[in-house]
Amino acid sequence: NYYDLGRTYLLLGDYDNSLKNFKTAYEMKPQEDIHAFIGKIYFDQNMIEEAKQSFENILGGNSKESDSIKKELQAGSSNTMANYYYAQVLQKLGKEDEAKNYFNRILEKYSRLVKSKPNLAEGYYYMGKCYYYIGDFEKAEENMKLAIQYDTDTITNHYSFDMFYSDAEAFASLAEIQAKMNKVSEAKENILKALSLEPENKKLQELKSRLGF
């Protein structure tokens, strides 16, 4: 179906076909999470205003869902992906305090999850990312290291609440955090680990250059 095609194309990095299929899926059957996927596509392409509108369709209750669902959406707790990327959108727009509120929602959610599942690598990863974005680099590093520590050899791509990352991205995120902490040798080691896993990944290559390695 169109929804599954949208997700498949997104995983492949084919944003045009992913967006086309998600829009068709939404026309056929409106679902709040489709707005989140569309918002992520826009965000990844640096189309910030379009991403903002997509996420606000969820978090502001402007989508076509029923009134009962809208009330839940307005509480800001329904869609983890929307909260996570909307926080980054707000940050890019210079709305730091608002962004922090959304990052804190993600932190609260994953904090509860890792209490019940202490080996949940994905929980530590997204907590690490949120701490990074709000500028708490020590906690960001601590959680990202735990994400890598609790990773398993059998899983190279991680999924959580419709969000996903690869092992390489975890090492790259750790490198980015450590660069902010002036841990140059450790940051270099981890970005090289990331590239050893995905040598053709252009985003990782760009990050390596940006970090000056």
Side-chain angles (χ1 to χ4, degrees):
N1 59 38
Y2 293 106
Y3 179 88
D4 289 338
L5 280 170
R7 290 186 57 154
T8 299
Y9 280 122
L10 181 57
L11 282 168
L12 294 171
D14 186 340
Y15 293 122
D16 289 342
N17 277 314
S18 180
L19 184 61
K20 178 181 176 181
N21 280 279
F22 275 129
K23 284 184 173 181
T24 302
Y26 190 81
E27 288 172 4
M28 295 176 68
K29 184 180 179 182
Q31 294 176 223
E32 51 128 359
D33 62 330
I34 294 176
H35 278 304
F37 281 116
I38 290 173
K40 175 176 166 35
I41 291 167
Y42 286 139
F43 181 82
D44 285 351
Q45 297 181 98
N46 205 36
M47 299 169 69
I48 300 304
E49 286 300 327
E50 291 86 347
K52 180 175 180 287
Q53 182 60 53
S54 290
F55 295 131
E56 287 179 349
N57 280 335
I58 298 176
L59 301 172
N62 297 320
S63 56
K64 299 178 184 177
E65 288 76 27
S66 68
D67 289 341
S68 62
I69 293 177
K70 283 184 180 181
K71 288 178 182 178
E72 185 182 358
L73 300 181
Q74 288 168 339
S77 61
S78 176
N79 194 297
T80 303
M81 187 199 300
N83 277 287
Y84 180 68
Y85 285 103
Y86 187 56
Q88 294 175 65
V89 165
L90 290 172
Q91 197 168 59
K92 283 182 177 289
L93 294 172
K95 300 179 179 181
E96 293 289 343
D97 290 340
E98 290 180 59
K100 190 172 183 179
N101 288 334
Y102 283 92
F103 284 127
N104 282 331
R105 291 177 183 177
I106 304 299
L107 285 168
E108 289 170 11
K109 186 165 194 171
Y110 279 111
S111 292
R112 291 194 299 269
L113 278 174
V114 298
K115 282 181 181 178
S116 60
K117 297 179 180 179
N119 297 343
L120 184 66
E122 294 80 6
Y124 295 112
Y125 175 85
Y126 286 107
M127 287 171 68
K129 294 294 285 187
C130 288
Y131 280 124
Y132 171 77
Y133 287 125
I134 64 178
D136 191 336
F137 301 126
E138 287 188 7
K139 286 185 178 179
E141 182 187 37
E142 176 186 345
N143 279 277
M144 199 59 67
K145 284 183 174 179
L146 288 170
I148 292 169
Q149 176 184 328
Y150 290 124
D151 188 19
T152 63
D153 293 337
T154 56
I155 300 174
T156 56
N157 290 293
H158 302 262
Y159 298 86
S160 179
F161 298 109
D162 284 323
M163 301 187 292
F164 49 87
Y165 68 93
S166 67
D167 287 348
E169 288 175 288
F171 281 110
S173 293
L174 181 56
E176 201 166 13
I177 293 163
Q178 290 169 332
K180 289 285 188 181
M181 303 172 76
N182 293 317
K183 296 184 176 182
V184 178
S185 61
E186 293 174 59
K188 183 176 181 180
E189 179 183 349
N190 283 306
I191 191 60
L192 291 176
K193 282 182 182 176
L195 281 165
S196 72
L197 294 171
E198 296 182 18
E200 303 302 319
N201 188 314
K202 291 183 179 179
K203 286 186 178 180
L204 298 183
Q205 293 168 1
E206 290 170 3
L207 176 60
K208 179 176 177 288
S209 298
R210 184 155 51 86
L211 295 178
F213 303 137

